[in-house]
Amino acid sequence: MSTHPRQRLIGMLGGMSWESTAEYYRLANEGVRDRLGGLHSARIVLASVNFAEIEALQVAGDWDRAGDILAAEAARLEAAGAELLLLCTNTMHKVADRVQAAVGIPLLHLADTTAAAVGAAGQTTVGLLATGFTMEQDFYRDRLAGHGLRVLVPERADRAAVHRIIYDELCRGVIREESRQIYRQVIDRLVAAGAQGIILGCTEIELLIGPADSPVPVFPTTRLHVEAALAASLGPAASSATR
């Protein structure tokens, strides 16, 4: 009987939006294939919520109710055997502590994995592109600042444009060249303000923007989050065992 490296089962809490969750799934499977070769793919259990329900709570500012919903889903993922947890959305990391408190498995915090990549690149000042919630509230910026980063956000009109494109286009699978140009202009203004790198701090933004769209390095939070999950899933303790 052949043996294979043991993978810790990754729990993905997604659907916010499903467009970016599909990217999480694709990147995780591509990453395992690249690391292990052959027909290897990722061991994943996925909970996908109805984003319309979550988005309505975001707009209403009812983060407690949204946190309750996600905490319950996280508990279901743990019950299904998940050994580590990914909350597949930057914005809903506002309730990350509540989600973590609902489970006994580790939640890999998206802002922490991003900050580690920024630090590894030797950067201290970064621009943040994200939803209005993430850019304007302190839950995400403070987490990055806790890693020693100075975080710049776009001006008000630019924040409104970035947010609109995420919810009205990217979350609906709409990719427009005009919107890419808007993002490029916002990035240029952040760089002019002193940003050494740009955090793509919404999981959908990577569907629109890549390294070629920025004069400074970009930090793709979805890809970095998946890479951290695979390192944990396939790490020394996991790969030393077989199944």
Side-chain angles (χ1 to χ4, degrees):
M1 180 177 177
S2 62
T3 60
H4 302 288
R6 182 183 181 278
Q7 299 181 50
R8 292 190 182 94
L9 184 62
I10 299 171
M12 288 188 177
L13 180 43
M16 298 165 281
S17 68
W18 71 259
E19 294 282 349
S20 66
T21 302
E23 190 76 354
Y24 266 90
Y25 185 81
R26 181 182 67 82
L27 289 169
N29 282 290
E30 287 180 353
V32 170
R33 179 193 64 196
D34 292 346
R35 287 163 173 78
L36 300 182
L39 293 175
H40 285 288
S41 56
R43 295 189 63 236
I44 294 168
V45 56
L46 169 66
S48 191
V49 302
N50 180 0
F51 190 38
E53 182 180 4
I54 299 298
E55 189 270 345
L57 294 171
Q58 291 177 342
V59 172
D62 193 350
W63 299 98
D64 285 343
R65 174 63 183 147
D68 287 344
I69 292 170
L70 297 188
E73 294 292 339
R76 291 190 186 98
L77 286 169
E78 183 177 32
E83 296 168 85
L84 58 116
L85 184 63
L86 297 186
L87 180 53
C88 301
T89 154
N90 281 277
T91 299
M92 294 312 298
H93 273 69
K94 182 174 174 73
V95 299
D97 288 348
R98 183 171 299 208
V99 172
Q100 177 65 86
V103 295
I105 57 176
L107 170 72
L108 301 186
H109 197 291
L110 210 159
D112 292 346
T113 60
T114 299
V118 174
Q123 297 191 359
T124 57
T125 302
V126 288
L128 175 63
L129 296 181
T131 67
F133 307 110
T134 303
M135 290 186 288
E136 293 167 8
Q137 299 179 21
D138 58 11
F139 68 93
Y140 195 84
R141 291 179 293 137
D142 282 359
R143 188 89 177 200
L144 295 172
H147 290 272
L149 301 180
R150 178 174 174 238
V151 182
L152 308 178
V153 296
E155 297 295 334
R156 181 188 299 270
D158 284 348
R159 293 198 304 268
V162 168
H163 181 91
R164 175 188 62 77
I165 289 166
I166 291 168
Y167 279 87
D168 292 354
E169 298 176 19
L170 302 181
C171 288
R172 302 166 193 256
V174 177
I175 307 296
R176 300 175 66 227
E177 183 59 33
E178 305 95 297
S179 297
R180 184 175 287 114
Q181 291 301 330
I182 290 171
Y183 269 54
R184 285 173 172 168
Q185 292 164 8
V186 175
I187 289 170
D188 286 344
R189 286 190 277 274
L190 285 169
V191 172
Q196 302 164 324
I198 301 293
I199 291 176
L200 306 182
C202 172
T203 51
E204 283 83 17
I205 292 178
E206 286 153 76
L207 304 174
L208 181 68
I209 291 295
D213 298 300
S214 172
V216 297
V218 297
F219 295 92
T221 57
T222 299
R223 185 175 291 274
L224 294 169
H225 204 197
V226 169
E227 289 174 357
L230 294 183
S233 174
L234 298 170
S239 58
S240 63
T242 58
R243 63 173 176 80

